[in-house]
Amino acid sequence: MKSLKTRMILAVLATALLLAGCQDFFSSSLTPWAARATLPISADISTEDALTYLDQAISNNDPMLAASLTPILLGQAEAAALADPESDAYNELAGALVSSVLLSSNTGTAFNTAVSSLPDLLAGMDEGASEADLAAAETALNNMITALGTVDYSEGDIAALQLIADNPPEGISSDDLAAAAIGLMFQTLTDEGIDLTDTDNPPDLSSLEDNANFLLAAELLALIPEGEESELGFLLAFLPLE
């Protein structure tokens, strides 16, 4: 059963990457990602200025600027949710908040790197896969896991994603939700010391059953509308979430 659950986790990853459309999340996805740092931005800037700065961060693939904006956008989104969680103001801020988290945590770049390995992985899943295909798929899987292992969510990022899960905004990108959830899932696996690359020794996933971050990742995946990604609900049934 554990090996089945492991395969299902990997299937969720592959499905999420496929649903992302095999396209870059950010305009300069191959720009080297720097260690998390922040820039001195006043916490009381207006929402208009915060969104303008975020546009600049995304255009320039600037994780430092995004990391500086996340707590600002989180505070503004929390206030908007408290006033009216169904308002246009909250919806806009929530979408921006997810974008800042994805950029500052390296999720966008990690997914772009992982996507490049997806064709080899899928070829190895084919029933008629050759030994060479299987070897290439194993290498691709290791590359994807390594790439996603570079994702680094801060406590503030996780608080931001929890706000999204608690107050689902209207119109949020399914790609963003999938990326945030899978990135958080893999950070949790790394934090728990779970190695998915050791196929000879299926990992013990019991530690994930009550893991708040893993459960949050599942909540985020569940926000994706059924009509858009119906397979995700099926795959989640195989994860150790009960």
Short mmCIF file of all heavy atoms in Angstrom, two decimals, residues 83-157:
data_model
loop_
_atom_site.label_atom_id
_atom_site.label_comp_id
_atom_site.label_asym_id
_atom_site.label_seq_id
_atom_site.Cartn_x
_atom_site.Cartn_y
_atom_site.Cartn_z
N ALA A 83 -13.03 42.32 5.96
CA ALA A 83 -14.09 43.26 5.57
C ALA A 83 -15.14 42.58 4.70
O ALA A 83 -16.35 42.72 4.93
CB ALA A 83 -13.49 44.45 4.82
N ASP A 84 -14.68 41.81 3.71
CA ASP A 84 -15.59 41.11 2.81
C ASP A 84 -14.79 40.12 1.97
O ASP A 84 -14.16 40.49 0.99
CB ASP A 84 -16.31 42.10 1.89
CG ASP A 84 -17.33 41.42 0.97
OD1 ASP A 84 -17.44 40.18 1.06
OD2 ASP A 84 -17.98 42.11 0.17
N PRO A 85 -14.80 38.83 2.34
CA PRO A 85 -14.01 37.84 1.62
C PRO A 85 -14.47 37.57 0.20
O PRO A 85 -13.80 36.86 -0.55
CB PRO A 85 -14.16 36.58 2.50
CG PRO A 85 -15.44 36.78 3.21
CD PRO A 85 -15.55 38.26 3.46
N GLU A 86 -15.62 38.13 -0.17
CA GLU A 86 -16.11 37.95 -1.53
C GLU A 86 -15.92 39.20 -2.38
O GLU A 86 -16.38 39.26 -3.53
CB GLU A 86 -17.60 37.57 -1.51
CG GLU A 86 -17.86 36.24 -0.80
CD GLU A 86 -19.34 35.85 -0.83
OE1 GLU A 86 -20.13 36.62 -1.40
OE2 GLU A 86 -19.67 34.79 -0.28
N SER A 87 -15.20 40.18 -1.85
CA SER A 87 -15.03 41.44 -2.56
C SER A 87 -13.99 41.32 -3.67
O SER A 87 -13.11 40.45 -3.64
CB SER A 87 -14.60 42.54 -1.58
OG SER A 87 -13.30 42.25 -1.06
N ASP A 88 -14.08 42.22 -4.63
CA ASP A 88 -13.09 42.28 -5.70
C ASP A 88 -11.72 42.61 -5.13
O ASP A 88 -10.70 42.10 -5.63
CB ASP A 88 -13.48 43.35 -6.73
CG ASP A 88 -14.72 42.95 -7.55
OD1 ASP A 88 -15.04 41.74 -7.57
OD2 ASP A 88 -15.35 43.84 -8.13
N ALA A 89 -11.70 43.42 -4.10
CA ALA A 89 -10.43 43.81 -3.48
C ALA A 89 -9.71 42.59 -2.93
O ALA A 89 -8.50 42.41 -3.14
CB ALA A 89 -10.67 44.83 -2.38
N TYR A 90 -10.45 41.74 -2.21
CA TYR A 90 -9.82 40.54 -1.67
C TYR A 90 -9.38 39.60 -2.78
O TYR A 90 -8.27 39.04 -2.74
CB TYR A 90 -10.77 39.80 -0.73
CG TYR A 90 -10.19 38.45 -0.34
CD1 TYR A 90 -9.07 38.38 0.50
CD2 TYR A 90 -10.70 37.26 -0.85
CE1 TYR A 90 -8.49 37.16 0.83
CE2 TYR A 90 -10.13 36.04 -0.52
CZ TYR A 90 -9.02 36.00 0.32
OH TYR A 90 -8.45 34.80 0.62
N ASN A 91 -10.23 39.38 -3.77
CA ASN A 91 -9.88 38.48 -4.87
C ASN A 91 -8.60 38.91 -5.56
O ASN A 91 -7.73 38.09 -5.88
CB ASN A 91 -11.02 38.41 -5.88
CG ASN A 91 -12.25 37.69 -5.34
OD1 ASN A 91 -12.14 36.83 -4.47
ND2 ASN A 91 -13.42 38.06 -5.83
N GLU A 92 -8.46 40.21 -5.79
CA GLU A 92 -7.26 40.71 -6.46
C GLU A 92 -6.03 40.52 -5.59
O GLU A 92 -4.97 40.08 -6.05
CB GLU A 92 -7.44 42.19 -6.82
CG GLU A 92 -6.25 42.77 -7.58
CD GLU A 92 -6.46 44.21 -8.00
OE1 GLU A 92 -7.15 44.95 -7.27
OE2 GLU A 92 -5.95 44.61 -9.06
N LEU A 93 -6.15 40.86 -4.32
CA LEU A 93 -5.01 40.74 -3.41
C LEU A 93 -4.62 39.28 -3.19
O LEU A 93 -3.44 38.95 -3.10
CB LEU A 93 -5.35 41.39 -2.07
CG LEU A 93 -5.25 42.92 -2.05
CD1 LEU A 93 -5.96 43.48 -0.82
CD2 LEU A 93 -3.79 43.36 -2.06
N ALA A 94 -5.60 38.39 -3.11
CA ALA A 94 -5.31 36.97 -2.91
C ALA A 94 -4.55 36.40 -4.10
O ALA A 94 -3.58 35.65 -3.93
CB ALA A 94 -6.61 36.20 -2.69
N GLY A 95 -4.96 36.76 -5.30
CA GLY A 95 -4.25 36.30 -6.48
C GLY A 95 -2.83 36.82 -6.52
O GLY A 95 -1.88 36.08 -6.86
N ALA A 96 -2.65 38.08 -6.15
CA ALA A 96 -1.32 38.67 -6.11
C ALA A 96 -0.47 38.02 -5.04
O ALA A 96 0.74 37.79 -5.23
CB ALA A 96 -1.43 40.18 -5.85
N LEU A 97 -1.09 37.69 -3.91
CA LEU A 97 -0.37 37.07 -2.81
C LEU A 97 0.21 35.72 -3.23
O LEU A 97 1.37 35.40 -2.93
CB LEU A 97 -1.32 36.89 -1.62
CG LEU A 97 -0.74 36.34 -0.32
CD1 LEU A 97 0.40 37.20 0.19
CD2 LEU A 97 -1.85 36.23 0.72
N VAL A 98 -0.58 34.92 -3.92
CA VAL A 98 -0.10 33.62 -4.39
C VAL A 98 1.06 33.81 -5.37
O VAL A 98 2.05 33.08 -5.31
CB VAL A 98 -1.23 32.82 -5.05
CG1 VAL A 98 -0.69 31.55 -5.69
CG2 VAL A 98 -2.29 32.47 -4.02
N SER A 99 0.96 34.80 -6.23
CA SER A 99 2.04 35.06 -7.19
C SER A 99 3.34 35.42 -6.48
O SER A 99 4.43 34.96 -6.86
CB SER A 99 1.65 36.19 -8.15
OG SER A 99 0.56 35.81 -8.97
N SER A 100 3.24 36.24 -5.43
CA SER A 100 4.45 36.64 -4.71
C SER A 100 5.06 35.45 -3.98
O SER A 100 6.29 35.30 -3.92
CB SER A 100 4.15 37.78 -3.73
OG SER A 100 3.34 37.35 -2.65
N VAL A 101 4.22 34.56 -3.45
CA VAL A 101 4.72 33.37 -2.77
C VAL A 101 5.42 32.44 -3.76
O VAL A 101 6.51 31.91 -3.48
CB VAL A 101 3.56 32.63 -2.06
CG1 VAL A 101 4.00 31.24 -1.62
CG2 VAL A 101 3.07 33.43 -0.87
N LEU A 102 4.83 32.24 -4.91
CA LEU A 102 5.43 31.36 -5.92
C LEU A 102 6.79 31.86 -6.36
O LEU A 102 7.73 31.07 -6.53
CB LEU A 102 4.50 31.24 -7.13
CG LEU A 102 3.21 30.46 -6.93
CD1 LEU A 102 2.36 30.51 -8.20
CD2 LEU A 102 3.49 29.02 -6.54
N LEU A 103 6.91 33.16 -6.53
CA LEU A 103 8.18 33.71 -7.01
C LEU A 103 9.23 33.71 -5.92
O LEU A 103 10.37 33.28 -6.13
CB LEU A 103 7.96 35.14 -7.53
CG LEU A 103 9.19 35.86 -8.06
CD1 LEU A 103 9.94 35.02 -9.10
CD2 LEU A 103 8.79 37.21 -8.67
N SER A 104 8.89 34.15 -4.72
CA SER A 104 9.89 34.26 -3.65
C SER A 104 10.36 32.89 -3.15
O SER A 104 11.47 32.76 -2.66
CB SER A 104 9.34 35.07 -2.48
OG SER A 104 8.25 34.42 -1.87
N SER A 105 9.53 31.87 -3.30
CA SER A 105 9.86 30.53 -2.80
C SER A 105 10.59 29.68 -3.82
O SER A 105 10.94 28.54 -3.53
CB SER A 105 8.59 29.80 -2.35
OG SER A 105 7.73 29.59 -3.47
N ASN A 106 10.79 30.20 -5.03
CA ASN A 106 11.44 29.47 -6.11
C ASN A 106 10.53 28.45 -6.76
O ASN A 106 10.98 27.64 -7.58
CB ASN A 106 12.73 28.77 -5.64
CG ASN A 106 13.60 28.31 -6.80
OD1 ASN A 106 13.79 29.03 -7.76
ND2 ASN A 106 14.13 27.10 -6.72
N THR A 107 9.26 28.45 -6.45
CA THR A 107 8.36 27.45 -7.01
C THR A 107 8.25 27.57 -8.52
O THR A 107 8.27 26.56 -9.23
CB THR A 107 6.96 27.59 -6.38
OG1 THR A 107 7.06 27.45 -4.97
CG2 THR A 107 6.02 26.53 -6.92
N GLY A 108 8.15 28.78 -9.04
CA GLY A 108 8.02 28.96 -10.48
C GLY A 108 9.21 28.40 -11.23
O GLY A 108 9.06 27.64 -12.19
N THR A 109 10.41 28.77 -10.80
CA THR A 109 11.61 28.29 -11.47
C THR A 109 11.75 26.78 -11.33
O THR A 109 12.14 26.08 -12.27
CB THR A 109 12.86 28.99 -10.89
OG1 THR A 109 12.74 30.40 -11.09
CG2 THR A 109 14.13 28.51 -11.57
N ALA A 110 11.43 26.25 -10.15
CA ALA A 110 11.53 24.80 -9.93
C ALA A 110 10.58 24.05 -10.86
O ALA A 110 10.95 23.01 -11.43
CB ALA A 110 11.22 24.47 -8.47
N PHE A 111 9.36 24.56 -11.03
CA PHE A 111 8.42 23.90 -11.92
C PHE A 111 8.88 23.97 -13.36
O PHE A 111 8.74 23.00 -14.11
CB PHE A 111 7.03 24.54 -11.77
CG PHE A 111 6.11 23.72 -10.91
CD1 PHE A 111 6.37 23.57 -9.56
CD2 PHE A 111 5.01 23.11 -11.45
CE1 PHE A 111 5.54 22.82 -8.76
CE2 PHE A 111 4.16 22.35 -10.66
CZ PHE A 111 4.42 22.21 -9.30
N ASN A 112 9.42 25.11 -13.77
CA ASN A 112 9.90 25.22 -15.14
C ASN A 112 11.01 24.21 -15.41
O ASN A 112 11.08 23.62 -16.49
CB ASN A 112 10.40 26.64 -15.41
CG ASN A 112 9.27 27.65 -15.41
OD1 ASN A 112 8.12 27.30 -15.63
ND2 ASN A 112 9.60 28.90 -15.15
N THR A 113 11.88 24.02 -14.43
CA THR A 113 12.95 23.03 -14.57
C THR A 113 12.38 21.63 -14.61
O THR A 113 12.78 20.78 -15.43
CB THR A 113 13.95 23.15 -13.40
OG1 THR A 113 14.49 24.47 -13.37
CG2 THR A 113 15.08 22.16 -13.54
N ALA A 114 11.41 21.36 -13.73
CA ALA A 114 10.81 20.03 -13.68
C ALA A 114 10.06 19.70 -14.97
O ALA A 114 10.09 18.55 -15.44
CB ALA A 114 9.86 19.93 -12.49
N VAL A 115 9.39 20.69 -15.54
CA VAL A 115 8.63 20.46 -16.76
C VAL A 115 9.52 19.94 -17.89
O VAL A 115 9.10 19.13 -18.71
CB VAL A 115 7.91 21.77 -17.19
CG1 VAL A 115 7.51 21.73 -18.65
CG2 VAL A 115 6.67 21.98 -16.32
N SER A 116 10.76 20.40 -17.93
CA SER A 116 11.67 19.97 -19.00
C SER A 116 11.97 18.48 -18.94
O SER A 116 12.38 17.88 -19.95
CB SER A 116 12.98 20.77 -18.93
OG SER A 116 13.71 20.45 -17.76
N SER A 117 11.75 17.86 -17.77
CA SER A 117 11.99 16.42 -17.63
C SER A 117 10.73 15.60 -17.83
O SER A 117 10.79 14.36 -17.84
CB SER A 117 12.56 16.12 -16.23
OG SER A 117 13.80 16.76 -16.03
N LEU A 118 9.59 16.27 -17.99
CA LEU A 118 8.32 15.55 -18.05
C LEU A 118 8.20 14.60 -19.24
O LEU A 118 7.72 13.47 -19.06
CB LEU A 118 7.17 16.57 -18.06
CG LEU A 118 5.76 16.00 -17.97
CD1 LEU A 118 5.61 15.16 -16.72
CD2 LEU A 118 4.74 17.12 -17.99
N PRO A 119 8.62 14.94 -20.46
CA PRO A 119 8.48 14.00 -21.58
C PRO A 119 9.15 12.65 -21.33
O PRO A 119 8.57 11.60 -21.63
CB PRO A 119 9.13 14.76 -22.75
CG PRO A 119 8.95 16.20 -22.40
CD PRO A 119 9.13 16.26 -20.90
N ASP A 120 10.36 12.68 -20.77
CA ASP A 120 11.05 11.42 -20.49
C ASP A 120 10.32 10.61 -19.43
O ASP A 120 10.26 9.37 -19.51
CB ASP A 120 12.49 11.69 -20.02
CG ASP A 120 13.41 12.09 -21.16
OD1 ASP A 120 13.05 11.83 -22.33
OD2 ASP A 120 14.48 12.66 -20.89
N LEU A 121 9.76 11.28 -18.44
CA LEU A 121 9.02 10.58 -17.39
C LEU A 121 7.79 9.90 -17.96
O LEU A 121 7.52 8.73 -17.67
CB LEU A 121 8.62 11.56 -16.29
CG LEU A 121 7.77 10.97 -15.15
CD1 LEU A 121 8.55 9.89 -14.42
CD2 LEU A 121 7.33 12.05 -14.18
N LEU A 122 7.05 10.61 -18.79
CA LEU A 122 5.83 10.04 -19.37
C LEU A 122 6.14 8.90 -20.32
O LEU A 122 5.39 7.91 -20.39
CB LEU A 122 5.05 11.14 -20.09
CG LEU A 122 4.50 12.26 -19.19
CD1 LEU A 122 3.75 13.28 -20.02
CD2 LEU A 122 3.61 11.69 -18.10
N ALA A 123 7.26 8.99 -21.04
CA ALA A 123 7.65 7.91 -21.95
C ALA A 123 7.91 6.63 -21.17
O ALA A 123 7.60 5.52 -21.63
CB ALA A 123 8.89 8.31 -22.75
N GLY A 124 8.50 6.77 -19.99
CA GLY A 124 8.78 5.60 -19.17
C GLY A 124 7.54 5.00 -18.55
O GLY A 124 7.56 3.85 -18.10
N MET A 125 6.43 5.76 -18.50
CA MET A 125 5.19 5.24 -17.93
C MET A 125 4.41 4.42 -18.96
O MET A 125 3.46 3.72 -18.59
CB MET A 125 4.31 6.41 -17.45
CG MET A 125 4.87 7.16 -16.27
SD MET A 125 3.91 8.65 -15.92
CE MET A 125 3.81 8.57 -14.14
N ASP A 126 4.79 4.50 -20.23
CA ASP A 126 4.10 3.79 -21.28
C ASP A 126 4.30 2.28 -21.12
O ASP A 126 5.38 1.81 -20.75
CB ASP A 126 4.62 4.25 -22.65
CG ASP A 126 3.76 3.73 -23.77
OD1 ASP A 126 2.78 4.40 -24.12
OD2 ASP A 126 4.09 2.64 -24.31
N GLU A 127 3.25 1.50 -21.44
CA GLU A 127 3.33 0.05 -21.28
C GLU A 127 4.42 -0.56 -22.15
O GLU A 127 5.02 -1.58 -21.80
CB GLU A 127 1.97 -0.59 -21.61
CG GLU A 127 0.91 -0.33 -20.55
CD GLU A 127 -0.37 -1.11 -20.83
OE1 GLU A 127 -0.34 -1.93 -21.78
OE2 GLU A 127 -1.35 -0.90 -20.12
N GLY A 128 4.67 0.04 -23.30
CA GLY A 128 5.68 -0.51 -24.20
C GLY A 128 7.04 0.13 -24.03
O GLY A 128 7.88 0.07 -24.94
N ALA A 129 7.30 0.74 -22.87
CA ALA A 129 8.57 1.43 -22.64
C ALA A 129 9.74 0.46 -22.69
O ALA A 129 9.67 -0.66 -22.15
CB ALA A 129 8.54 2.14 -21.29
N SER A 130 10.81 0.88 -23.36
CA SER A 130 12.02 0.07 -23.44
C SER A 130 12.86 0.27 -22.18
O SER A 130 12.56 1.12 -21.35
CB SER A 130 12.84 0.48 -24.67
OG SER A 130 13.31 1.83 -24.51
N GLU A 131 13.92 -0.53 -22.06
CA GLU A 131 14.83 -0.36 -20.92
C GLU A 131 15.43 1.03 -20.92
O GLU A 131 15.62 1.64 -19.87
CB GLU A 131 15.93 -1.43 -20.97
CG GLU A 131 15.46 -2.84 -20.67
CD GLU A 131 14.93 -2.97 -19.25
OE1 GLU A 131 15.48 -2.31 -18.34
OE2 GLU A 131 13.96 -3.72 -19.03
N ALA A 132 15.74 1.52 -22.12
CA ALA A 132 16.31 2.87 -22.23
C ALA A 132 15.30 3.92 -21.79
O ALA A 132 15.65 4.90 -21.11
CB ALA A 132 16.75 3.14 -23.67
N ASP A 133 14.03 3.70 -22.16
CA ASP A 133 12.97 4.63 -21.75
C ASP A 133 12.83 4.63 -20.23
O ASP A 133 12.66 5.68 -19.61
CB ASP A 133 11.63 4.25 -22.38
CG ASP A 133 11.58 4.52 -23.87
OD1 ASP A 133 12.34 5.40 -24.34
OD2 ASP A 133 10.79 3.85 -24.56
N LEU A 134 12.88 3.44 -19.63
CA LEU A 134 12.74 3.34 -18.18
C LEU A 134 13.90 4.01 -17.46
O LEU A 134 13.71 4.69 -16.45
CB LEU A 134 12.64 1.87 -17.77
CG LEU A 134 11.36 1.14 -18.20
CD1 LEU A 134 11.46 -0.35 -17.88
CD2 LEU A 134 10.14 1.75 -17.52
N ALA A 135 15.10 3.85 -18.01
CA ALA A 135 16.28 4.48 -17.40
C ALA A 135 16.18 6.00 -17.51
O ALA A 135 16.48 6.73 -16.55
CB ALA A 135 17.55 3.99 -18.09
N ALA A 136 15.71 6.47 -18.68
CA ALA A 136 15.56 7.91 -18.87
C ALA A 136 14.47 8.46 -17.95
O ALA A 136 14.59 9.57 -17.42
CB ALA A 136 15.22 8.22 -20.33
N ALA A 137 13.42 7.66 -17.74
CA ALA A 137 12.32 8.10 -16.87
C ALA A 137 12.80 8.20 -15.43
O ALA A 137 12.42 9.13 -14.70
CB ALA A 137 11.16 7.12 -16.96
N GLU A 138 13.64 7.25 -15.01
CA GLU A 138 14.16 7.30 -13.65
C GLU A 138 15.03 8.54 -13.44
O GLU A 138 14.93 9.21 -12.41
CB GLU A 138 14.97 6.04 -13.35
CG GLU A 138 15.46 5.98 -11.91
CD GLU A 138 16.16 4.67 -11.57
OE1 GLU A 138 16.17 3.76 -12.42
OE2 GLU A 138 16.68 4.56 -10.44
N THR A 139 15.86 8.83 -14.45
CA THR A 139 16.68 10.04 -14.37
C THR A 139 15.81 11.29 -14.34
O THR A 139 16.05 12.22 -13.56
CB THR A 139 17.64 10.11 -15.57
OG1 THR A 139 18.53 8.99 -15.54
CG2 THR A 139 18.46 11.40 -15.55
N ALA A 140 14.77 11.29 -15.18
CA ALA A 140 13.86 12.44 -15.23
C ALA A 140 13.17 12.64 -13.90
O ALA A 140 13.02 13.77 -13.40
CB ALA A 140 12.82 12.24 -16.34
N LEU A 141 12.73 11.53 -13.28
CA LEU A 141 12.05 11.62 -11.99
C LEU A 141 12.99 12.20 -10.93
O LEU A 141 12.60 13.08 -10.15
CB LEU A 141 11.58 10.23 -11.56
CG LEU A 141 10.91 10.14 -10.19
CD1 LEU A 141 9.69 11.04 -10.13
CD2 LEU A 141 10.52 8.70 -9.89
N ASN A 142 14.22 11.73 -10.92
CA ASN A 142 15.19 12.26 -9.96
C ASN A 142 15.44 13.74 -10.19
O ASN A 142 15.55 14.52 -9.23
CB ASN A 142 16.51 11.49 -10.07
CG ASN A 142 16.40 10.08 -9.54
OD1 ASN A 142 15.53 9.78 -8.73
ND2 ASN A 142 17.28 9.20 -9.99
N ASN A 143 15.51 14.15 -11.47
CA ASN A 143 15.73 15.57 -11.78
C ASN A 143 14.54 16.42 -11.33
O ASN A 143 14.72 17.53 -10.81
CB ASN A 143 15.95 15.76 -13.29
CG ASN A 143 17.28 15.21 -13.76
OD1 ASN A 143 18.19 15.02 -12.96
ND2 ASN A 143 17.40 14.96 -15.05
N MET A 144 13.33 15.89 -11.52
CA MET A 144 12.14 16.62 -11.12
C MET A 144 12.09 16.78 -9.61
O MET A 144 11.79 17.86 -9.09
CB MET A 144 10.89 15.90 -11.63
CG MET A 144 10.77 15.87 -13.14
SD MET A 144 9.49 14.75 -13.72
CE MET A 144 8.04 15.77 -13.50
N ILE A 145 12.39 15.70 -8.90
CA ILE A 145 12.35 15.75 -7.44
C ILE A 145 13.43 16.69 -6.91
O ILE A 145 13.21 17.45 -5.97
CB ILE A 145 12.51 14.34 -6.86
CG1 ILE A 145 11.26 13.51 -7.17
CG2 ILE A 145 12.73 14.39 -5.35
CD1 ILE A 145 11.36 12.06 -6.77
N THR A 146 14.60 16.65 -7.54
CA THR A 146 15.69 17.55 -7.13
C THR A 146 15.28 19.00 -7.33
O THR A 146 15.50 19.85 -6.46
CB THR A 146 16.97 17.25 -7.94
OG1 THR A 146 17.39 15.92 -7.64
CG2 THR A 146 18.07 18.22 -7.57
N ALA A 147 14.68 19.30 -8.49
CA ALA A 147 14.25 20.67 -8.78
C ALA A 147 13.23 21.14 -7.76
O ALA A 147 13.33 22.24 -7.20
CB ALA A 147 13.69 20.75 -10.20
N LEU A 148 12.23 20.31 -7.49
CA LEU A 148 11.19 20.70 -6.56
C LEU A 148 11.69 20.73 -5.12
O LEU A 148 11.11 21.39 -4.26
CB LEU A 148 9.99 19.77 -6.69
CG LEU A 148 9.22 19.98 -8.00
CD1 LEU A 148 8.24 18.86 -8.24
CD2 LEU A 148 8.50 21.32 -8.00
N GLY A 149 12.81 20.03 -4.87
CA GLY A 149 13.40 20.08 -3.54
C GLY A 149 14.04 21.41 -3.21
O GLY A 149 14.39 21.67 -2.06
N THR A 150 14.17 22.29 -4.22
CA THR A 150 14.75 23.61 -3.97
C THR A 150 13.70 24.62 -3.53
O THR A 150 14.04 25.75 -3.18
CB THR A 150 15.45 24.15 -5.23
OG1 THR A 150 14.48 24.40 -6.26
CG2 THR A 150 16.49 23.17 -5.74
N VAL A 151 12.44 24.23 -3.55
CA VAL A 151 11.36 25.13 -3.12
C VAL A 151 11.53 25.44 -1.64
O VAL A 151 11.80 24.55 -0.83
CB VAL A 151 9.99 24.50 -3.40
CG1 VAL A 151 8.88 25.33 -2.76
CG2 VAL A 151 9.77 24.38 -4.90
N ASP A 152 11.35 26.70 -1.28
CA ASP A 152 11.59 27.13 0.10
C ASP A 152 10.49 28.07 0.56
O ASP A 152 10.56 29.28 0.34
CB ASP A 152 12.96 27.81 0.19
CG ASP A 152 13.27 28.31 1.60
OD1 ASP A 152 12.70 27.75 2.55
OD2 ASP A 152 14.05 29.27 1.73
N TYR A 153 9.46 27.52 1.20
CA TYR A 153 8.38 28.33 1.74
C TYR A 153 8.73 28.80 3.15
O TYR A 153 9.10 27.98 4.00
CB TYR A 153 7.07 27.53 1.81
CG TYR A 153 6.44 27.26 0.48
CD1 TYR A 153 6.58 26.03 -0.16
CD2 TYR A 153 5.69 28.24 -0.17
CE1 TYR A 153 5.99 25.78 -1.39
CE2 TYR A 153 5.11 28.01 -1.40
CZ TYR A 153 5.26 26.78 -2.00
OH TYR A 153 4.69 26.53 -3.22
N SER A 154 8.60 30.08 3.38
CA SER A 154 8.81 30.62 4.71
C SER A 154 7.53 30.47 5.52
O SER A 154 6.47 30.10 4.99
CB SER A 154 9.19 32.10 4.62
OG SER A 154 8.08 32.87 4.16
N GLU A 155 7.60 30.77 6.81
CA GLU A 155 6.40 30.74 7.64
C GLU A 155 5.36 31.73 7.12
O GLU A 155 4.16 31.47 7.16
CB GLU A 155 6.76 31.05 9.09
CG GLU A 155 7.56 29.96 9.78
CD GLU A 155 7.79 30.26 11.26
OE1 GLU A 155 7.20 31.23 11.76
OE2 GLU A 155 8.56 29.52 11.90
N GLY A 156 5.84 32.88 6.64
CA GLY A 156 4.92 33.87 6.08
C GLY A 156 4.24 33.36 4.82
O GLY A 156 3.05 33.63 4.59
N ASP A 157 4.99 32.63 3.98
CA ASP A 157 4.40 32.06 2.77
C ASP A 157 3.30 31.07 3.13
O ASP A 157 2.23 31.05 2.51
CB ASP A 157 5.47 31.33 1.96
CG ASP A 157 6.53 32.25 1.40
OD1 ASP A 157 6.24 33.45 1.22
OD2 ASP A 157 7.66 31.78 1.13
#
